[in-house]
């Protein structure tokens, strides 16, 4: 079934495996049925592709399934952002030695497959792998940085971009919002460019501020945040937008707490 689903998806008729010559008990000349000795493109007829899969069990349990081509869907926006953004690669294993082995295998696999993007690898590791007790997270903004971190995990060596540990239990998330003094020039603008959720929240905050201020939020974030009457509401807007971004990733806080301007965001 997996083979035929992939054949339907890719528009390819796969060759019949392990057949040196067709059976002599079938009259292959009398009909339109034949064995495929080589893969062929699946002809386009204007109709959905369909295929039948039969299973004849030795005990007499037989099954016949008809598969149909799924409708085409647009490629979803990748949740991990552009290739230049900082990404986490997550690896886990039952014990420390196997964690090193897993990290080394992943490093070798990625090095052999230059077509794999850092974002796709991060998404697969975060969404489609079981998280075991021994864990390591490699954080980096590019392929070489992430591979360097993996190499350190594989060698059992510390690395500035690697965090290792074991889970303490299910736990709950708490968002802590800082006060004035945590700001910097252009903060949040790269996130707004990379993540529509953050951009939408930032625009909503700008709309909420508009009746009370004479400046543009994005322009002030880009300009350096020199005035105190700008810094405080701008910090509030970025913190609220960050919270919305984390929530879009499924990290929903059980509690929020803030200091100074962070109290307003909370």
């Amino acid at each position: 079934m997996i083979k035929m689903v992939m054949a339907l998806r890719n528009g390819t008729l796969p060759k019949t495996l392990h057949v040196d010559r067709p059976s002599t008990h079938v009259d292959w000349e009398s009909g339109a049925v034949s064995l495929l000795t080589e893969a062929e493109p699946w002809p386009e007829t204007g109709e959905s592709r369909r295929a039948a899969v039969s299973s004849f069990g030795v005990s007499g349990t037989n099954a016949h399934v008809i598969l149909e081509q799924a409708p085409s869907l647009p490629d979803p926006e990748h949740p991990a952002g552009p290739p230049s953004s900082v990404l986490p690669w997550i690896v886990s294993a039952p014990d420390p030695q196997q964690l090193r082995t897993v990290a080394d295998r992943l490093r070798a696999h990625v090095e052999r497959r230059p077509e794999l993007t850092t974002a796709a690898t991060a998404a697969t590791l975060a969404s489609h792998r079981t998280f075991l007790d021994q864990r390591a997270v490699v954080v980096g903004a590019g392929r070489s940085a992430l591979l360097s971190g993996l190499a350190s995990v594989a060698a059992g060596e510390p690395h500035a971009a690697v965090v290792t540990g074991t889970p303490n239990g299910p736990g709950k998330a708490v968002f802590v919002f800082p006060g004035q003094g945590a700001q910097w020039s252009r903060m949040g603008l790269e996130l707004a460019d990379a993540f529509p959720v953050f951009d939408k929240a930032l625009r909503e905050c700008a709309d909420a501020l508009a009746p009370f201020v004479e400046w543009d939020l994005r322009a002030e974030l880009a300009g350096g945040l020199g005035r105190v009457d700008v810094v405080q509401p701008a910090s509030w807007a970025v913190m609220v937008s960050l919270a919305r971004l984390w929530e879009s990733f499924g990290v929903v806080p059980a509690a929020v707490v803030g200091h100074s301007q962070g109290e307003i965001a909370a």
Side-chain angles (χ1 to χ4, degrees):
M1 285 184 66
I2 293 173
K3 179 179 179 179
M4 290 316 303
V5 166
M6 296 304 295
L8 291 167
R9 178 182 296 175
N10 295 315
T12 300
L13 294 165
K15 70 176 182 179
T16 304
L17 301 179
H18 314 302
V19 175
D20 296 325
R21 59 187 179 87
S23 171
T24 58
H25 299 288
V26 175
D27 182 1
W28 297 102
E29 304 298 327
S30 63
V33 176
S34 63
L35 292 176
L36 286 170
T37 56
E38 296 295 336
E40 297 180 6
W42 199 312
E44 292 285 354
T45 64
E47 304 253 344
S48 297
R49 302 184 186 107
R50 295 183 182 87
V53 180
S54 296
S55 173
F56 304 108
V58 67
S59 63
T61 302
N62 301 329
H64 187 75
V65 176
I66 298 175
L67 305 174
E68 183 176 281
Q69 177 186 5
S72 298
L73 297 175
D75 291 333
E77 291 186 10
H78 207 287
S84 60
S85 60
V86 175
L87 298 169
W89 281 2
I90 307 169
V91 292
S92 69
D95 58 61
Q97 181 56 48
Q98 291 190 59
L99 182 67
R100 295 171 61 175
T101 301
V102 169
D104 193 48
R105 286 177 178 171
L106 176 60
R107 178 199 55 75
H109 176 70
V110 174
E111 287 182 342
R112 286 195 306 269
R113 300 281 301 277
E115 74 277 11
L116 295 177
T117 66
T118 56
T121 302
T124 299
L125 293 172
S127 304
H128 302 292
R129 298 295 297 270
T130 300
F131 293 137
L132 303 175
D133 287 344
Q134 295 292 326
R135 303 178 186 181
V137 180
V138 180
V139 180
R143 189 183 189 85
S144 60
L146 289 161
L147 287 172
S148 174
L150 276 181
S152 294
V153 176
E157 299 172 348
H159 192 286
V162 174
V163 178
T164 58
T166 57
N168 295 321
K172 295 180 179 180
V174 176
F175 288 177
V176 181
F177 300 102
Q180 184 177 335
Q183 74 276 359
W184 65 91
S185 177
R186 294 191 53 80
M187 67 175 182
L189 293 183
E190 289 184 10
L191 289 176
D193 291 339
F195 299 101
V197 171
F198 187 96
D199 183 56
K200 178 175 181 290
L202 201 64
R203 282 188 279 107
E204 290 173 347
C205 290
D207 292 342
L209 290 171
F212 309 103
V213 301
E214 298 177 351
W215 42 265
D216 177 75
L217 177 60
R218 278 180 176 269
E220 293 298 331
L221 288 172
L225 301 171
R227 293 163 41 188
V228 67
D229 61 319
V230 173
V231 166
Q232 294 181 349
S235 296
W236 161 80
V238 171
M239 286 186 276
V240 170
S241 302
L242 277 170
R244 294 289 176 261
L245 179 61
W246 279 109
E247 288 174 338
S248 74
F249 295 148
V251 183
V252 180
V256 292
V257 63
H259 163 66
S260 185
Q261 289 302 305
E263 294 181 55
I264 302 173

